[in-house]
Amino acid sequence: LDEWSWFALRSRALAMAAPEDAVIAGWSAVAVHDLPHLGRPPALPCVIRRASPPRGSDRSIHGWVRFASLDPGWVVSVAGVEVIQPAVTVIDIGRRSGRLGTLMVADAVARCPGGKESMRAALEAMRHWPGSGRASWTVANADGNCESPLETVGRYALLRSDVPRPQSNVWVGLDRPCYRLDHYWAAQRLALEGDGLHKYRTVGGRGEGDALLDEKDREFELRGWGVTTERYTWRRALFDPGSVAGRCAAVLAGPALPAHPGLRCWPAAEGYRLLGMDMPRAQLGAGPGWRDRVEAALRRLHG
């Protein structure tokens, strides 16, 4: 198993070995819900004992056991173990963790139906938890139209600067939605696009070369509509976010562009609807693939 799948397995084991009131929480809940993550998992899995009076926490070589009062409505079952809800998970990790990692989780939760509202409700309900105020920034800035961890990293580079916030994954075109842009400032016709390898992998029998040519054709047509495109990579957005924001700020500081005759812009959900497509949603919870991966690992261990 990879590190996060192994961490999810250890988290499930800790919950199964703990008393019946144990609920998977913190970054263990991120792993079991199969939410996006950044970097390596913590050293110890984490559970909360919800039926016990709040009295700090216990640590051992097997995991971290916290004690807190949990509303029954905050708990869901994932493949036979109890886990705090994804929205509650965002607030829980946001109390102690860095903004970028928490925002990556929050963007995925916001893509679920009612996700943003659930996070607001969880933040209000958990306002008495130590450090919950730190999570308010994440809830305020979560974006359900942000469709990938790479886009969250790029968006975070902008949030750290004074650059005006762009729209996420809007569609542009003349008579119908044609191209979807990761980050877009409509008034200045500026698009900021994240470049990840997944965009150019073989899909439906088409090779990487075909995908790259399609990308060039797309950018050629956008340029014909007066749309300026800036790009960033994982490395650039993570380790030099100021350069990403700076390039956008330089374009945005320029003179306003005259209106383009016919160029239109549609929000993400409306563009998908007009094209007869389903808007991508986050898939939460360990599905059938989780059991397959574990069983395959056990077979390898036992020869």
Side-chain angles (χ1 to χ4, degrees):
L1 299 176
D2 62 68
E3 285 187 307
W4 277 92
S5 296
W6 173 235
F7 183 64
L9 182 60
R10 292 173 57 212
S11 301
R12 296 172 63 85
L14 178 63
M16 294 169 69
E20 290 184 359
D21 63 341
V23 179
I24 295 173
W27 285 100
S28 285
V30 172
V32 172
H33 282 303
D34 202 17
L35 287 160
H37 44 262
L38 186 66
R40 303 179 67 178
L44 294 175
C46 172
V47 298
I48 291 176
R49 289 192 59 188
R50 57 178 172 172
S52 303
R55 61 174 181 86
S57 62
D58 293 335
R59 290 177 183 264
S60 73
I61 60 171
H62 304 296
W64 180 24
V65 180
R66 294 155 50 196
F67 299 86
S69 299
L70 286 179
D71 187 296
W74 295 359
V75 179
V76 294
S77 179
V78 177
V81 294
E82 290 196 322
V83 192
I84 59 173
Q85 286 186 355
V88 178
T89 300
V90 171
I91 311 305
D92 192 26
I93 63 174
R95 297 183 305 125
R96 298 181 177 88
S97 303
R99 282 183 170 180
L100 176 55
T102 307
L103 185 63
M104 195 173 287
V105 177
D107 280 351
V109 174
R111 289 201 300 276
C112 302
K116 193 73 180 279
E117 293 74 15
S118 296
M119 284 189 287
R120 292 194 190 105
L123 180 63
E124 173 61 23
M126 298 171 70
R127 64 186 183 279
H128 61 284
W129 286 44
S132 61
R134 292 188 73 244
S136 60
W137 181 93
T138 302
V139 174
N141 288 284
D143 187 347
N145 291 325
C146 189
E147 294 183 1
S148 72
L150 175 60
E151 291 174 18
T152 298
V153 173
R155 202 164 62 82
Y156 183 67
L158 302 174
L159 289 170
R160 295 177 58 184
S161 72
D162 295 329
V163 174
R165 296 184 186 181
Q167 295 175 276
S168 296
N169 280 300
V170 298
W171 294 82
V172 296
L174 298 181
D175 54 350
R176 65 180 181 85
C178 188
Y179 299 120
R180 187 165 51 89
L181 306 174
D182 294 344
H183 320 277
Y184 187 57
W185 292 264
Q188 294 84 7
R189 274 181 268 153
L190 170 63
L192 178 64
E193 297 277 89
D195 272 347
L197 292 177
H198 71 280
K199 295 175 72 169
Y200 306 110
R201 287 176 180 161
T202 302
V203 177
R206 292 173 59 80
E208 294 179 3
D210 293 320
L212 285 168
L213 288 175
D214 289 345
E215 183 72 15
K216 296 298 183 184
D217 281 342
R218 175 181 186 270
E219 195 157 325
F220 180 82
E221 190 159 9
L222 287 170
R223 194 161 57 243
W225 296 340
V227 176
T228 299
T229 302
E230 294 286 349
R231 296 188 173 277
Y232 64 89
T233 61
W234 271 100
R235 183 181 297 274
R236 179 70 63 183
L238 277 175
F239 300 112
D240 191 13
S243 68
V244 177
R247 292 203 311 270
C248 295
V251 177
L252 295 172
L257 295 176
H260 184 282
L263 183 63
R264 297 182 57 190
C265 180
W266 294 266
E270 185 180 355
Y272 279 111
R273 181 182 61 80
L274 291 172
L275 293 172
M277 301 165 60
D278 293 328
M279 186 170 175
R281 296 292 184 184
Q283 300 297 317
L284 305 184
W290 183 89
R291 184 178 298 277
D292 294 342
R293 292 197 300 273
V294 172
E295 289 179 350
L298 290 174
R299 285 195 296 271
R300 290 196 299 273
L301 285 171
H302 293 290

